[in-house]
Amino acid sequence: MIKAKAIAAQCVTSGLAPYSFDRRDPKEHDVVIDIKYCGICHSDIHQVKNEWGHSMYPMVPGHEIAGVVRSVGAKVTKYKVGDHVGVGCFVDSCRTCSSCQATMDNYCLEGMTQTYNGMERDGKTMTQGGYSDVIVVDENYVLRIPNSIPLDKAAPLLCAGVTLYSPLTHWKAGPNKKVGIIGMGGLGHMGVKIAAALGAEVTVLSHSDKKREDALQMGAHNFVVAKDPKNLQKYASYFDLIINTVSSAEIDMHQFFGLLKLDATLVAIGAPDKPYAINPFPLIMMRRNYAGSVIGSIKETQEMLDFCAKHNITPEIEVIAPDYVNQAYERVLKSDVRYRFVIDMAKI
Ligand code: NAP
Ligand code: ZN
Ligand code: ZN
């Protein structure tokens, strides 16, 4: 067994505190990774607080993992000691279903194995995530981090980056396409940078005016305070694609559907604790689509990392020590982060 130091939630109300546990001994195809940095995704907060209703404790959150290969199993061919690598939201899948066979392992029909708050495929071992100093992962679920991206800035790409890259490329954001991003947090700000690099016209739909300058600097062409319906009037039937990254259900979906062109699509990404009320009329009247998307496949994640390296795209981050995580969670809940907290795991 490999000793791991971590921070974990012991129950729904405990907050996060130091914790030690064992990782499995590496199997033939496993890579042992010294974790250097781990991003804080809003999904970590939803799960620590059991807002999705299936949390298991003790829980070591973290699925934006960047580190260095410590050792490899006998049959590992893709990685060697010292390589810069990442791990995202899942660490295994069935590998045989139609989704897995089509390299869409994030849509595994048997369910992907979540990096934490999940069960290994043996059905007995709980998975534990990246707020720790070491992890053991099958090489097929490990990503290569290009050398030009520093590890602290690479970490948020493993969830926030690919979660926006996947729908933006699937729905063909690019030149002559108008893309709206609702909510400019950790995910949303990556959406702005990636959509702009793909050549789309990008509009941020935010609930306050606070992030206007940042958005324009990141490549957005327009910034709209969506809280005031008057500001949305000129964007009626305007967008080819809108991506909703808001973490709260307290938004009026009805007003955003009306901003889509005929046949255009609004993609649900934000995963709030409560359902939305949906009025179907704006969908009906312009044959608009309402879709969803979950993270991205391993193949897309590697593509996204290479795309970000090529286009010099990195997230805006605030690096923190592990003992600041509880305060960081409070700040994320107040939208008081520019734009992703990243934990320095060397300080564990
Ligand atoms: P985040 O950094 O907290 O960003 C969320 C943003 O939503 C905020 O910055 C804010 O943007 C907006 N917002 C928050 N509260 C709001 C409210 N009451 N009314 C209106 N707008 C509000 O969170 P994140 O890490 O980007 O994650 C966003 C959501 O995506 C979470 O629910 C997370 O669980 C989910 N997620 C989904 C996937 C997937 O695969 N589908 C993957 C990862 C995360 P403005 O200040 O610009 O308004
Ligand atoms: Zn995430
Ligand atoms: Zn599968």
Side-chain angles (χ1 to χ4, degrees):
M1 293 291 193
I2 296 175
K3 296 273 170 225
K5 284 194 282 184
I7 44 176
Q10 293 297 331
C11 69
V12 68
T13 53
S14 64
L16 288 134
Y19 175 65
S20 298
F21 67 105
D22 292 326
R23 298 282 191 188
R24 67 169 182 259
D25 283 324
K27 295 181 275 188
E28 286 179 329
H29 289 284
D30 281 345
V31 179
V32 183
I33 302 165
D34 283 322
I35 300 176
K36 300 295 182 192
Y37 295 97
C38 187
I40 295 180
C41 177
H42 206 121
S43 300
D44 300 345
I45 303 178
H46 290 308
Q47 291 181 93
V48 161
K49 292 177 179 282
N50 196 22
E51 291 179 348
W52 295 339
H54 55 78
S55 293
M56 298 181 285
Y57 303 92
M59 180 195 298
V60 178
H63 57 210
E64 293 186 336
I65 299 169
V68 177
V69 174
R70 180 196 291 187
S71 63
V72 295
K75 294 205 171 143
V76 168
T77 57
K78 297 180 181 165
Y79 299 102
K80 60 178 191 325
V81 174
D83 284 353
H84 285 191
V85 291
V87 178
C89 297
F90 62 108
V91 288
D92 210 344
S93 63
C94 84
R95 309 178 193 209
T96 56
C97 73
S98 53
S99 296
C100 286
Q101 289 288 308
T103 74
M104 291 189 287
D105 34 19
N106 50 324
Y107 296 110
C108 175
L109 298 179
E110 288 186 14
M112 57 189 159
T113 303
Q114 289 194 94
T115 301
Y116 69 89
N117 196 29
M119 281 297 186
E120 296 280 5
R121 301 209 85 77
D122 64 10
K124 290 183 272 190
T125 317
M126 267 171 72
T127 55
Q128 298 291 11
Y131 296 5
S132 60
D133 61 349
V134 62
I135 192 166
V136 182
V137 182
D138 183 292
E139 65 170 331
N140 294 303
Y141 296 83
V142 173
L143 288 308
R144 180 173 299 284
I145 295 176
N147 284 334
S148 63
I149 306 179
L151 287 178
D152 54 354
K153 288 189 172 251
L157 299 177
L158 275 304
C159 174
V162 71
T163 300
L164 273 291
Y165 179 85
S166 176
L168 285 168
T169 51
H170 179 78
W171 276 280
K172 303 196 171 17
N176 304 316
K177 292 284 179 73
K178 296 186 168 85
V179 173
I181 305 279
I182 313 174
M184 202 175 90
L187 268 57
H189 94 291
M190 287 313 306
V192 171
K193 292 187 179 206
I194 293 170
L198 288 166
E201 183 199 288
V202 184
T203 302
V204 172
L205 301 151
S206 188
H207 79 301
S208 79
D209 202 33
K210 292 184 198 149
K211 300 171 181 170
R212 181 183 296 274
E213 288 312 311
D214 290 352
L216 299 176
Q217 197 118 48
M218 286 179 210
H221 303 84
N222 309 301
F223 185 95
V224 182
V225 181
K227 235 181 176 164
D228 184 349
K230 280 204 298 294
N231 296 337
L232 296 175
Q233 278 165 10
K234 75 174 203 193
Y235 293 96
S237 297
Y238 184 85
F239 293 103
D240 297 283
L241 176 66
I242 299 178
I243 301 191
N244 176 20
T245 72
V246 173
S247 49
S248 157
E250 291 161 18
I251 58 168
D252 177 4
M253 295 308 295
H254 178 252
Q255 63 175 9
F256 293 114
F257 289 144
L259 307 186
L260 293 168
K261 285 180 182 168
L262 172 72
D263 280 335
T265 301
L266 190 150
V267 184
I269 295 286
D273 54 339
K274 295 186 211 65
Y276 304 110
I278 302 262
N279 177 346
F281 273 92
L283 296 174
I284 292 169
M285 296 313 289
M286 247 342 130
R287 204 166 58 189
R288 295 168 172 128
N289 304 291
Y290 186 37
S293 178
V294 73
I295 49 169
S297 66
I298 292 294
K299 182 165 177 276
E300 285 174 306
T301 310
Q302 190 62 59
E303 258 175 49
M304 175 277 309
L305 286 164
D306 297 339
F307 177 88
C308 287
K310 183 170 168 210
H311 293 270
N312 222 355
I313 295 173
T314 54
E316 305 302 314
I317 60 169
E318 181 175 333
V319 177
I320 60 168
D323 62 7
Y324 188 73
V325 168
N326 291 310
Q327 282 130 290
Y329 275 24
E330 290 308 315
R331 284 182 53 195
V332 173
L333 291 171
K334 290 189 224 144
S335 298
D336 174 25
V337 49
R338 300 293 166 93
Y339 281 83
R340 200 55 141 188
F341 285 116
V342 172
I343 312 167
D344 180 351
M345 294 316 312
K347 298 206 172 118
I348 188 93

